[in-house]
Amino acid sequence: MKKRGFTVLTLVLAAGLVITGLTQGQAREVLMKAVRVCLECIGIG
Amino acid sequence: MGKGNVRLRIQILAALVQNADFRGFFTGRINQGALKSVCVPGLNCYSCPGALGACPIGSLQAFLSSRPVRFPYYVVGLLLFFGALLGRAVCGFLCPFGLAQDLLHKLPFPRRKLGAFPGDRLLRKLKYAVLLVLVIGLPALVLDYVPAFCKYLCPAGTLGGGIPLVLLHGERLHLSVGGLFFWKLAAALVILLLSIVIFRPFCKYLCPLGALYGLTNPIALYRMHADAGRCTGCGACARACPMQVDPSKTPNSPECIRCGVCTRCCPAQALHLGIRSGAPERKEMKS
């Protein structure tokens, strides 16, 4: 029961972090990074 | 259909869904849809021509290596969310690079396959060092705008992004291919070849995502439940575990990827995976 409470708390914390990130426009920054070929990732950057 | 086959089918489906822009594998162009603002749970390079979502480790490093460094609330939140729901079941069911290693491990090998490397216990800590040094430390403190893990190690990026893009873009990228590419190619090849002999060497020893999700295994909603009342202590589960966990003692070990092998081999049906802690009804053993 105690662990279940900790799980719920972690989920709430996760939701809070995601919302904070969204308000700061971080999802858009992830998008801008992900739609360009990452030269480092493919080993030529 | 066996439960092992169910897992394999889910893995294949997950890999296909996460890389469903099949046109990219012919045109060599990466997907630019809005879904790329969402991180997928597993290790799947966003420069893979078919990728529909973003890699969580790549995204994490993008924030940490930017200057000034900003806390990646969004990515950390998503990682915590996946971890709290599934823990390392992400590794067992949803990670495309985990699937690649699983398939390679099914290949026959003329000699006896190894359970783990010598010095296994110490080597398992390596993935935490990879997380702290290559994913967090170097990008945040030393290397400006350099995702060190992606650049120097990630075999998923080489396999999913590097090889297809270099093959598809021919002359243009061939000119840029140098020592770094060949280093990453060699690292990926070694890891993939080792996967034939050892079960998931990358997940066991190097994956920073596995290290993160492993920390959430004890609190994840989807977890292993061990019924001490039913356990006879025969040790069948520990002998069968491909990740060398003893589920009767540490059912929610950070190393467990929830493959479910132990639940199927337990003669007393003392182990089960799920959200609810109640053990399933005992089935009659086949004679």
Side-chain angles (χ1 to χ4, degrees):
Chain A
M1 212 58 203
K2 201 173 171 184
K3 273 188 179 165
R4 189 56 64 87
F6 205 67
T7 308
V8 173
L9 204 68
T10 310
L11 284 169
V12 171
L13 175 67
L17 287 169
V18 169
I19 291 166
T20 307
L22 287 173
T23 57
Q24 294 188 1
Q26 292 192 351
R28 185 167 172 75
E29 288 181 56
V30 169
L31 177 69
M32 298 318 289
K33 172 76 182 163
V35 296
R36 283 195 290 264
V37 173
C38 167
L39 294 178
E40 291 91 349
C41 303
I42 65 171
I44 60 175
Chain B
M1 184 167 46
K3 283 185 178 173
N5 284 338
V6 172
R7 185 171 78 88
L8 181 62
R9 284 173 189 217
I10 293 173
Q11 284 178 287
I12 292 170
L13 187 68
L16 289 174
V17 168
Q18 289 174 74
N19 296 288
D21 187 3
F22 304 119
R23 284 174 310 172
F25 291 106
F26 299 99
T27 62
R29 288 189 180 164
I30 66 169
N31 181 279
Q32 305 202 317
L35 271 176
K36 276 217 162 160
S37 61
V38 182
C39 296
V40 294
L43 202 62
N44 194 79
C45 185
Y46 40 39
S47 292
C48 171
L52 291 182
C55 169
I57 292 292
S59 304
L60 194 65
Q61 288 173 99
F63 284 101
L64 294 174
S65 64
S66 65
R67 296 293 180 266
V69 177
R70 281 161 310 130
F71 186 82
Y73 295 100
Y74 176 66
V75 183
V76 171
L78 284 175
L79 285 170
L80 261 187
F81 179 75
F82 295 136
L85 279 184
L86 298 168
R88 282 196 85 176
V90 169
C91 312
F93 287 84
L94 303 178
C95 179
F97 195 69
L99 169 65
Q101 291 173 90
D102 280 358
L103 293 177
L104 284 168
H105 196 66
K106 289 180 189 293
L107 293 176
F109 187 67
R111 292 190 179 186
R112 191 169 157 264
K113 295 199 178 191
L114 299 174
F117 279 123
D120 177 67
R121 277 186 67 179
L122 194 65
L123 285 172
R124 299 259 178 159
K125 312 276 186 235
L126 208 56
K127 57 182 172 290
Y128 299 101
V130 169
L131 174 66
L132 288 175
V133 177
L134 289 180
V135 176
I136 299 172
L138 287 178
L141 303 172
V142 184
L143 304 170
D144 298 357
Y145 302 100
V146 176
F149 171 74
C150 298
K151 183 167 182 173
Y152 299 115
L153 185 61
C154 183
T158 309
L159 190 68
I163 296 171
L165 287 178
V166 167
L167 289 176
L168 288 165
H169 282 289
E171 290 298 315
R172 198 156 66 87
L173 283 183
H174 280 156
L175 293 174
S176 315
V177 169
L180 182 64
F181 182 80
F182 289 112
W183 155 253
K184 282 198 69 184
L185 193 62
L189 269 176
V190 168
I191 289 165
L192 292 172
L193 287 175
L194 280 174
S195 305
I196 301 172
V197 189
I198 294 177
F199 183 75
R200 292 199 177 210
F202 183 72
C203 307
K204 279 178 182 167
Y205 304 121
L206 295 171
C207 183
L209 203 51
L212 272 173
Y213 287 140
L215 297 176
T216 63
N217 251 3
I219 57 138
L221 209 56
Y222 183 78
R223 63 211 328 271
M224 178 79 73
H225 302 277
D227 185 341
R230 283 186 181 181
C231 179
T232 59
C234 68
C237 53
R239 286 194 298 277
C241 178
M243 294 296 281
Q244 288 75 47
V245 173
D246 183 348
S248 64
K249 292 195 178 93
T250 51
N252 292 298
S253 157
E255 298 297 325
C256 174
I257 60 163
R258 311 309 192 201
C259 68
V261 169
C262 56
T263 61
R264 293 192 290 279
C265 79
C266 176
Q269 293 162 37
L271 297 164
H272 86 274
L273 279 166
I275 294 173
R276 298 173 65 169
S277 60
E281 289 298 309
R282 194 189 294 253
K283 290 175 199 150
E284 290 299 320
M285 295 296 288
K286 284 178 188 167
S287 56

